[in-house]
Amino acid sequence: MAKISKIWLEPVQGYDPCKNSDDFYFDQRAANNACKIFPAYFKHKEGEFSGKPFHLERWEKKIIGHIFGWKRKTDWTRRYRKAFVYVPKKNGKTQLMAGIGIICLVFDNEPGAQVYTASGDQEQANIMFKAATFAVENHEELSENIEIQKSYKLMQFSATESYWKVLSSNAKTKHGPNISALFLDELHVFPEQRGRELLETLEAGIISRRQPLIVYTTTADYSRPSPCNEVYEYAKKVRDGIVPDPYFFPVIYEADEEKDDWKSEATWMKANPNYGISVKRDYFIERVREAEANPSKENAFKRLHLNIQTKQEKKWMDIKEWDLSGQQLDPEALKNKKCFGAIDLSSTNDIAAFGLYFPETISYLLYCWVPKETARKRIEYELWEKQKYIEVTKGRTIDDDAIRARINELKKDYAFEQIAYDTWNAARLAKKLGDDDGFVMVPFGQGYKSMNEPTKEIEKLILNHRLNHFGNPVMRWMISNATALSDTANNIKIIKPNKDSPQKVDGVITLIMGCGLSMVNKEEPQIEGLTII
């Protein structure tokens, strides 16, 4: 070990590969040769370094050097069979992995090598392949010897009858591949059950290879049961010496949520090995400002840029921002103005909401109904009834006829375009309003696909203090209750704090749905590609 260069003796983010290495040796020449392949054969694809040779940073050299430098004394094959690269977004890990893939395809001298890329999302799986094809197309020797069939997501290296292929996420079709190298990209997007089945199937495909390699790459997942978090927890135990697995190489860059200040530059540098290179200080400053102003973005920043596992749920809006948006318009100015309505009847025995969104003046009016028995149990409902912010209906459940009558009255004052409704709970009322009363009724899904874009549009309007909401206290209460739920792609939708919570968000939902209709129907949509079903 004494003759090995210092870089190969340094621990990798708390993991010491020299520990428990009696059955292995470090081939410094193999490590250096693998690192030299990058600037000799690969160029940067994007950004300020586009078109320039890919010179590895120190942290990247450690990954490449250890993967290709450590060998087994018994047969001189590679030591590591699996590697886990846990690095935040924008640190260049995709292009780094694409380089490893080409090494496994071309420079490994593996007869009939089969290199695969897979992800829980087909588009994500294609990203690494595109980075690899760019490298091939921009090097004369590689392009002469590797045939690319982009329509099939396939690269073929005829000299060893080897190929690289992109796999879809359907586990049932993945039995049988004789895998030499497998790249599982952005592990956090793998769905829990189907993703686990896919991993188990693909991992079983390496058995017959002499020195297979599986590389898991990902940013942090949410705090939840998932294939990503299972591999992450295992990698931490290997790193910390709890699990003695000398064939697993863990590379974990992350901030500590309890000890590290997420707004500190020292924390940004700790979690991002390419900080100051592909990840710029100004970018972080801007993202932190956004997160401070909008709580719903704080979790996304921590997870995507600091590799901190976060909950999927986060308070959506600072009530101070809502108050500042306020009432800059006389409600009478809305008379005869074009508007889009939305109905939310999420509960049969509590509050129901109908909202009107006016795109020309960026204004919103909320109307609410509560059954009499429910209203008498809550002081705030009685108060809001006296103030005429809610209407109390007879009986123990929501009265659809009362809501229908009120909407028909409103038609006399406002120019209705369409009314959005949720098919799950408002189909009966929607049918009457459409068939009997002549309103144009539009079914509006409640998933991320429909809710994400208008939710983010409303966020912007509130934070820029452009939305006129006239200080409605019921709506203010609902805004304070709203929780933002995110998926792994950072799409959001609004939910109440928990399923059985008495804290309601119905008015927020109708605001978002009304905005969504207006965006779809605008001649030049604020956000292209929005769908509502």
Side-chain angles (χ1 to χ4, degrees):
M1 288 291 180
K3 296 181 180 180
I4 296 177
S5 299
K6 182 181 178 182
I7 186 173
W8 311 125
L9 297 175
E10 296 173 350
V12 182
Q13 291 303 100
Y15 170 72
D16 186 356
C18 298
K19 259 188 176 182
N20 304 317
S21 60
D22 292 344
D23 295 330
F24 312 99
Y25 71 97
F26 190 78
D27 185 341
Q28 186 166 230
R29 182 178 179 183
N32 287 332
N33 285 342
C35 291
K36 289 176 182 177
I37 288 172
F38 279 79
Y41 286 86
F42 309 142
K43 293 180 180 179
H44 287 283
K45 182 181 178 183
E46 300 170 343
E48 63 183 292
F49 302 110
S50 178
K52 295 181 180 179
F54 190 165
H55 291 283
L56 297 173
E57 299 299 325
R58 191 175 186 85
W59 71 278
E60 294 171 320
K61 285 182 180 178
K62 287 184 180 182
I63 293 175
I64 302 303
H66 286 300
I67 287 176
F68 292 100
W70 279 101
K71 306 289 182 65
R72 304 181 184 210
K73 292 179 179 178
T74 53
D75 59 8
W76 305 287
T77 61
R78 283 195 296 266
R79 166 185 175 178
Y80 292 114
R81 297 302 192 240
K82 295 181 179 180
F84 179 69
V85 182
Y86 192 68
V87 182
K89 288 188 66 164
K90 305 300 183 182
N91 281 276
K93 63 180 179 293
T94 297
Q95 192 168 1
L96 184 68
M97 295 304 113
I100 297 176
I102 291 176
I103 292 176
C104 293
L105 178 69
V106 177
F107 298 97
D108 244 4
N109 296 316
E110 177 80 12
Q114 294 181 20
V115 180
Y116 292 96
T117 306
S119 180
D121 177 83
Q122 183 67 38
E123 185 177 347
Q124 184 62 49
N126 292 337
I127 292 174
M128 186 181 295
F129 183 78
K130 288 179 181 178
T133 58
F134 175 84
V136 171
E137 291 171 338
N138 284 273
H139 190 277
E140 183 177 353
E141 183 181 346
L142 291 178
S143 62
E144 288 177 354
N145 289 279
I146 297 175
E147 179 185 356
I148 301 174
Q149 298 180 42
K150 291 184 179 180
S151 59
Y152 293 101
K153 304 295 187 295
L154 176 69
M155 281 195 294
Q156 293 178 299
F157 180 52
S158 58
T160 57
E161 296 185 352
S162 302
Y163 64 81
W164 180 337
K165 191 173 183 179
V166 176
L167 295 175
S168 68
S169 57
N170 183 359
K172 293 180 180 179
T173 67
K174 305 304 169 296
H175 293 285
N178 184 13
I179 297 170
S180 56
L182 172 64
F183 297 87
L184 297 163
D185 194 25
E186 295 300 1
L187 202 56
H188 69 275
V189 304
F190 281 71
E192 183 177 358
Q193 185 57 41
R194 185 164 53 84
R196 189 173 288 105
E197 292 172 0
L198 176 62
L199 292 185
E200 291 172 354
T201 301
L202 293 176
E203 288 169 350
I206 69 172
I207 295 174
S208 62
R209 291 290 180 173
R210 65 188 183 94
Q211 54 173 9
L213 176 65
I214 297 178
V215 184
Y216 308 90
T217 60
T218 191
T219 52
D221 196 359
Y222 294 109
S223 180
R224 59 171 181 163
S226 71
C228 178
N229 287 335
E230 289 173 9
V231 179
Y232 167 67
E233 292 298 329
Y234 184 83
K236 286 199 299 181
K237 290 177 180 178
V238 174
R239 178 197 64 187
D240 299 338
I242 298 171
V243 173
D245 186 346
Y247 313 117
F248 190 101
F249 180 41
V251 182
I252 301 175
Y253 283 88
E254 62 182 348
D256 187 316
E257 186 169 25
E258 294 183 2
K259 298 178 181 179
D260 297 328
D261 178 3
W262 67 277
K263 294 178 280 188
S264 165
E265 186 173 15
T267 302
W268 308 341
M269 295 173 69
K270 175 184 177 181
N272 292 271
N274 245 25
Y275 187 79
I277 303 167
S278 62
V279 185
K280 302 299 185 182
R281 181 174 183 270
D282 289 348
Y283 174 83
F284 270 73
I285 291 172
E286 185 60 32
R287 297 292 81 75
V288 168
R289 282 176 181 164
E290 288 180 354
E292 287 180 313
N294 187 350
S296 71
K297 294 186 177 181
E298 180 181 326
N299 270 9
F301 176 82
K302 289 179 177 178
R303 183 173 60 85
L304 298 176
H305 295 297
L306 300 180
N307 260 0
I308 294 174
Q309 284 188 7
T310 62
K311 294 181 179 179
Q312 287 179 276
E313 302 164 4
K314 185 71 179 178
K315 180 181 177 182
W316 181 52
M317 185 60 58
D318 186 337
I319 199 65
K320 294 179 181 177
E321 299 293 345
W322 176 259
D323 291 341
L324 288 171
S325 202
Q327 17 183 347
Q328 300 93 8
L329 189 73
D330 185 342
E332 289 295 315
L334 301 178
K335 291 291 179 70
N336 301 315
K337 293 290 186 183
K338 180 174 73 174
C339 63
F340 294 88
I343 304 170
D344 188 3
L345 308 180
S346 60
S347 173
T348 59
N349 60 0
D350 207 317
I351 204 161
F354 176 73
L356 289 177
Y357 181 77
F358 299 81
E360 295 176 20
T361 58
I362 313 180
S363 302
Y364 174 72
L365 296 176
L366 174 66
Y367 303 86
C368 293
W369 295 262
V370 177
K372 184 175 182 180
E373 189 166 313
T374 302
R376 298 302 170 253
K377 295 177 182 179
R378 302 191 61 168
I379 295 174
E380 64 270 32
Y381 285 178
E382 289 188 316
L383 173 62
W384 291 331
E385 179 193 7
K386 292 177 181 177
Q387 296 174 336
K388 301 188 182 304
Y389 287 110
I390 66 174
E391 297 178 31
V392 174
T393 62
K394 297 178 181 179
R396 302 173 61 182
T397 59
I398 291 294
D399 184 349
D400 286 2
D401 291 335
I403 298 173
R404 180 184 169 196
R406 183 73 170 119
I407 293 174
N408 275 283
E409 286 181 15
L410 293 170
K411 184 167 62 172
K412 300 173 184 177
D413 291 329
Y414 307 113
F416 280 71
E417 293 286 316
Q418 297 174 339
I419 298 177
Y421 70 97
D422 178 6
T423 56
W424 183 257
N425 53 43
R428 178 176 170 272
L429 175 58
K431 183 172 177 57
K432 287 185 177 181
L433 287 168
D435 293 349
D436 299 340
D437 302 329
F439 290 97
V440 179
M441 306 303 295
V442 181
F444 200 108
Q446 302 298 294
Y448 291 111
K449 183 178 181 181
S450 300
M451 301 299 280
N452 174 61
E453 298 292 4
T455 301
K456 290 181 177 178
E457 179 68 11
I458 291 296
E459 271 188 1
K460 289 190 289 187
L461 293 173
I462 295 172
L463 292 174
N464 289 317
H465 308 150
R466 296 182 62 200
L467 178 68
N468 299 292
H469 54 70
F470 310 107
N472 185 311
V474 183
M475 189 63 182
R476 186 177 190 271
W477 170 65
M478 291 179 175
I479 287 288
S480 72
N481 298 333
T483 296
L485 181 67
S486 304
D487 66 5
T488 54
N490 202 31
N491 297 308
I492 65 172
K493 63 179 182 179
I494 299 303
I495 60 171
K496 59 184 181 180
N498 60 67
K499 182 179 179 181
D500 300 318
S501 173
Q503 310 304 318
K504 306 301 178 182
V505 296
D506 306 64
V508 183
I509 301 301
T510 60
L511 169 60
I512 291 166
M513 291 166 69
C515 176
L517 281 187
S518 75
M519 292 168 70
V520 170
N521 285 277
K522 194 172 183 181
E523 290 182 7
E524 296 180 2
Q526 292 165 285
I527 300 178
E528 296 180 358
L530 177 68
T531 56
I532 58 176
I533 299 176

